[in-house]
Amino acid sequence: VKNNKNDFDSAFILDEMESKLEFMEEEMDFRQLTSFSYSMPTPSPPTPSPTKLQTLAPTKSPTASPTVSPTASPTVSPTASPTVSPTASLSVSPTISLTDPPTPITDCLVGTTREAFLLTVFSEITDVALLQDDSTPQGKAYDWFVVDDTDIDVCTYPTLLQRYALVVLHYSTNGKDWTDKTDWLSAKNECEWFGITCPEGGTLVESIILGANNLNGPLPEEIEVFEELDSLELFGNLLSSSIPMGIGKISTLKVIDFEENLLTGSIFTPNLLSLDKLQALRLSFNQFTDEIPPEISRLTDLQELWIAENLDILEDETVQNEGITGFIPTEIGTLNNLTSILLYSNSISGALPSELGLATDLVYLRLETNFFAQQIPEELYDLTLLQQLRLDDNFLSGTVSENIGNLDALQDLRLTFNFLTGTFPATISKLVDLENLLIDGNGFNGNFPNVFSDFTSLDFIDISENRNDGPGFEGPIPDTIFDIPSIRIVYMSNNSFTGPIPANYATPPLLRDLYLNGNNLDGEVPPIGDSDLSQLSEFLLQENDLTGSIPESICALVNSTKGVLEDLWSDCSGENPQIQCDFPECCTKCFE
């Protein structure tokens, strides 16, 4: 109807112009007949009418709107004023001004329908068969535009493809069950939908942040249209596809956060490796299977490489998914912007590359629960910004270098369950910011350094179970550990410590667990003050050479208002117990 009206208006104006010209010619003849002196310019032919516009289909490129749109005005415009105008003395003026131009035709739907136009536009990034299948996310999105999203002008809306891609994402991930879907599929601009951010004054999506929002389903390929996207953060959902190939077209992407989903397949595809502005790649806690290729060196801006926990082991210890396999390539050293590498709980093997030491901005290095072997490279001790170093649960061998003292920013050091041997270096004294020191399950020997006088933050120390191929730690228990005001957990069991329990063992006000079992300690258990060890929950003393009786001040911590002691174990069993302790009133478990 709108098109017919335009045609009618144009024809009406032309008829009026012709009528006025005829009237003027008649007026001229009349004036000549009555002897008026009057001259008229020779009339020119009327301005041609506007040519009919053809419907222009958008070009085949994923622009936010058709690259070719109908012109804003007719291809042949009327002149600014009529070529024949009455003189100022003309007594009869036309009732319709000839200065009014014809109404321009601006509708992109001339010769087509809204539905057909949308199909053409959306087919730039989606197969037509998917669009015409209303059981697919793409088909549902197409139907929504045709039936529900009728408030927008598809001819002038600047980000039509962007809006479409978001609607596809909504349907693909079961948007009706999202935790928060505020304004999604509303008439509002998509920049106002929950989790979507556009720059101030801009129209292109800058970030999509829908973490922990119950997205359930595959990621659609249509995400490729977000040509200015900076962050794509969909962590903590139930996404279940591989990474879409179209992600490689988002050249502006800096942050990919798909952690804690059910994503599968490969990670380091040519598409992903083309994202040379990428700063954060967070893919932990999924079901990916891949190797880290040498081409990772292309990601020169990368700061966060997080692909942990892709190893999936069932309860019967059957490996469901190996996760990341292969080796860490030496090219990792070229990524000098890296601040964190989290590759734990995978199936990576081989030696730790010495080139890791070139990533001198590293703050977090977590490689635990893999199959790394051989020695810890000396270059690793050059990472002086490291705050967390976790190499536990691997197959590392050799010794720990004295250069570990260079890592004086360390807060968390864990070397548990490897095959490390030798004495533990006294340069550990420089790591005064340590909060966790766990080196259990190795083959260390000799005296453990008594160098903790300046420590103020250590919470957890575990040096137990070091009898892999020898006696474990020997000599006296380092008493400076008990001068640390923050210490809560002390595990020293199953070594070969000798001598008495340190007299200051009850000093730490927060001490919760104290495991001294499985050593060669002798003498009696020292009594404690009235307010000492009020937080102690577990105190294990069995399998030592201790004698005498458990002090009443210790027994008073069991099942009383003075303490919370739940487990007090000692060698208090048999006809001639090595240590005297009433069971179960004081000791909760006795050993022979």
Side-chain angles (χ1 to χ4, degrees), residues 509-513 532-538 562-564:
L510 304 177
L511 191 61
R512 191 196 75 184
D513 294 352
D532 291 342
L533 300 181
S534 61
Q535 302 300 312
L536 190 65
S537 176
E538 298 180 359
K562 289 188 176 182
V564 293

Side-chain angles (χ1 to χ4, degrees), residues 50-328:
T51 57
K52 184 176 181 180
L53 293 174
Q54 296 180 347
T55 302
L56 298 176
T59 58
K60 277 286 184 180
S61 60
T63 54
S65 59
T67 56
V68 180
S69 57
T71 54
S73 58
T75 55
V76 179
S77 303
T79 56
S81 59
T83 55
V84 179
S85 58
T87 62
S89 59
L90 187 63
S91 60
V92 180
S93 301
T95 57
I96 298 178
S97 171
L98 297 183
T99 60
D100 294 337
T103 303
I105 300 174
T106 60
D107 197 339
C108 66
L109 303 182
V110 172
T112 187
T113 64
R114 188 175 189 276
E115 184 175 351
F117 177 78
L118 288 171
L119 187 69
T120 300
V121 174
F122 297 162
S123 66
E124 294 179 17
I125 59 171
T126 300
D127 188 271
V128 171
L130 292 175
L131 290 166
Q132 293 177 330
D133 182 351
D134 60 11
S135 68
T136 67
Q138 293 82 359
K140 292 176 181 178
Y142 174 51
D143 287 348
W144 179 79
F145 273 90
V146 171
V147 177
D148 299 311
D149 197 32
T150 55
D151 289 340
I152 68 168
D153 184 346
V154 296
C155 296
T156 60
Y157 198 80
T159 54
L160 193 60
L161 277 177
Q162 172 179 275
R163 188 175 179 88
Y164 163 70
L166 287 173
V167 178
V168 173
L169 175 65
H170 176 272
Y171 281 115
S172 185
T173 58
N174 200 25
K176 65 183 178 62
D177 290 333
W178 287 2
T179 304
D180 192 335
K181 49 183 179 290
T182 302
D183 292 328
W184 277 76
L185 304 195
S186 72
K188 291 183 177 181
N189 185 282
E190 62 271 16
C191 291
E192 299 180 54
W193 296 357
F194 171 77
I196 306 302
T197 303
C198 299
E200 186 175 356
T203 59
L204 296 179
V205 172
E206 187 176 57
S207 68
I208 301 175
I209 303 176
L210 294 169
N213 202 45
N214 201 34
L215 278 67
N216 188 343
L219 276 174
E221 288 289 343
E222 283 76 7
I223 65 171
E224 70 178 49
V225 305
F226 301 116
E227 57 190 47
E228 294 294 330
L229 193 65
D230 181 279
S231 298
L232 182 56
E233 302 182 41
L234 305 175
F235 56 89
N237 287 294
L238 296 170
L239 300 175
S240 56
S241 63
S242 57
I243 298 176
M245 292 186 296
I247 204 168
K249 295 183 179 180
I250 313 175
S251 60
T252 56
L253 205 53
K254 294 180 181 179
V255 177
I256 297 175
D257 190 346
F258 296 162
E259 287 202 315
E260 298 182 68
N261 279 286
L262 303 172
L263 296 170
T264 59
S266 298
I267 295 172
F268 297 102
T269 61
N271 299 294
L272 187 138
L273 290 170
S274 69
L275 301 175
D276 57 6
K277 293 182 175 61
L278 196 63
Q279 296 177 7
L281 181 60
R282 305 172 188 158
L283 302 174
S284 301
F285 299 96
N286 279 285
Q287 297 174 10
F288 290 112
T289 302
D290 205 352
E291 296 185 7
I292 303 174
E295 290 80 8
I296 195 173
S297 59
R298 297 176 187 171
L299 305 180
T300 53
D301 288 349
L302 195 62
Q303 298 175 21
E304 299 175 3
L305 177 59
W306 299 2
I307 319 178
E309 286 278 1
N310 278 274
L311 174 65
D312 187 10
I313 301 179
L314 302 179
E315 290 184 2
D316 62 358
E317 298 187 357
T318 301
V319 176
Q320 181 83 359
N321 188 66
E322 290 186 327
I324 309 304
T325 58
F327 312 97
I328 294 181

Side-chain angles (χ1 to χ4, degrees), residues 395-410:
F395 295 86
L396 298 171
S397 58
T399 60
V400 174
S401 169
E402 289 188 355
N403 288 327
I404 197 170
N406 296 340
L407 307 181
D408 56 6
L410 269 183

